[in-house]
Amino acid sequence: MKIIFASAHDTDPHAWITPLQALLPDVEIQAWVDDGRAVGARIAVVWNPPRNIFMRETDIQAVFNLGAGVDALFRLPGLKDDVPVVRLEDAGMSAQMAEYAVYALVRASRQFDQYQSQQEQALWRPLPDIQREKWPVGVMGMGIMGARMAQVLAGLDYPVAGWSRSGKSLPGVQAFAGQAAFSDFLARTRVLINTLPLTSATSGILCRDTMRQLLPGAYIINVARGQHLVEEDLLALLASGHVQGATLDVFCQEPLPQNHPFWTHPGITITPHVAASSLREASITQVAKKINSYLRGDALTGVVERNRGY
Ligand code: NAP
Ligand code: GLV
C-alpha cells in the first residue's frame, strides 16, 4: 500500500514524512515529485497539493487533508465523487483561532491602537473605560473553530452570538440558526467573525448587504477564506464609516498582491493566512490515527459530507 504525500506546509516534505512513516510502518509513503510518474498510491495525504495530483494518481481511494478547510481540494480535476475526503479536526488550531479573535477584538475594543499612537507622542491620557455591551460579537460558523472562539470571548464577558446551519447551542452564547435568522443575527452584531467553510452557499457571504446590516462602527474579522469577502464591498463600507475596521487573515488571492489597496488602508490589519496553522506534531499524530482506522476498516471522524462541501 502506497501513500502519496504532497503538502505546501513545508519546503522539506521529509520533515513530515519521516515521523508519519514511523507511525505507519506497514505502508510506503512517497513524496510527490513534480515531473515524476504515478506511484500507484491508494491514499493521498495533502495540503494545497499540485493541481494534477488526482489526474496522475488515478487509484486514490481516500484523501487525508492536512488542514481543516477542504475547499481547494474540490477545485482539483480528477478527484472522484465517491472518494472519502477526511479533514483535520482541531489538532491545535482552535486555540490559535481563539487567540487571534481575542487579539483582534480587544485591540479594537480597548483602543490599543490609540494608546500606541499616544505613546509615540509621550502622552499619558487614559481613554474612557470599556463598555462591553457596546461590542456585541457575532461568530459565523459554530464548528470546531467558531465554537471555541465564541466560548473564549463569552468568557471575557462580551455579548456573543453564534450563527450556523443547525444553531448549535453553547452556554453563554446566543444561538441563531440558518438563513431565516441571519438578519436578526447581523442586526445585534458589531464585531463579525467569520469561521465558515467555503462552499457554494457561503462564497461571497461577507458582502455589502450583509455588512450594512451590522451595528454602526462594525468590525470585520475574517479567518476563514478570502472568497467569503467581497473585497470592494468592504472598502466601500470602510469609506462610508459604517465599518470602522477589519482584521483579515485570508484573501481572494494569496499571497496578497503587492499593489492591493488593503496593504495601505489605515483601518485594515493583515496577517498572511496564519490565524491557525496545522501544527506538525499534532497533525501527524491525528492523520496517522485516522489512516490506521481507515486501514482497519473502522469508522472515521472528520469525513467531509460531499453534498454540503464541509
Ligand atoms: P467545521 O467544524 O466544519 O464548522 C463549520 C461550521 O460552519 C458549522 O457550525 C456549520 O454549521 C457552519 N456552516 C457551514 N455552512 C453553513 C451555512 N451555509 N450557513 C450557516 N452555517 C454554516 O469547520 P472548522 O473546523 O470550524 O473550520 C472552519 C473553517 O475555518 C475551515 O473550513 C477553514 O476554511 C477555516 N480555517 C482557517 C484557518 C486559518 O488559518 N485562517 C485555519 C483553520 C481553518 P453546522 O454546525 O450546522 O453544520
Ligand atoms: C487552514 O486554512 C485550514 O483550513 O486548515
Side-chain angles (χ1 to χ4, degrees), residues 92-115:
M93 284 189 278
S94 73
Q96 296 174 68
M97 278 290 193
E99 286 171 341
Y100 190 99
V102 168
Y103 167 75
L105 166 65
V106 167
R107 187 173 154 201
S109 68
R110 298 288 307 270
Q111 303 165 283
F112 284 126
D113 284 343
Q114 206 166 329
Y115 283 118

Side-chain angles (χ1 to χ4, degrees), residues 13 17 40 46 67 85 92 97 115 156 161 187 214 218 229 242 246 253 266 281 303:
I17 291 177
V46 296
V85 172
M97 278 290 193
Y115 283 118
L156 293 175
L214 297 168
L229 174 69
H242 183 69
Q253 195 183 331
E281 202 181 316
V303 180

Side-chain angles (χ1 to χ4, degrees), residues 87 97 142-145 165-166 195 197 223 225 249 276 310:
R87 71 189 194 93
M97 278 290 193
M142 288 291 282
I144 292 173
M145 305 300 150
R165 286 200 334 170
S166 56
T195 76
V223 290
R225 287 292 182 265
D249 184 55
Y310 73 97

Side-chain angles (χ1 to χ4, degrees), residues 24 85 187 189 230 261 279 299 306:
L24 297 168
V85 172
T189 293
V230 182
L279 304 174
R306 296 291 282 270

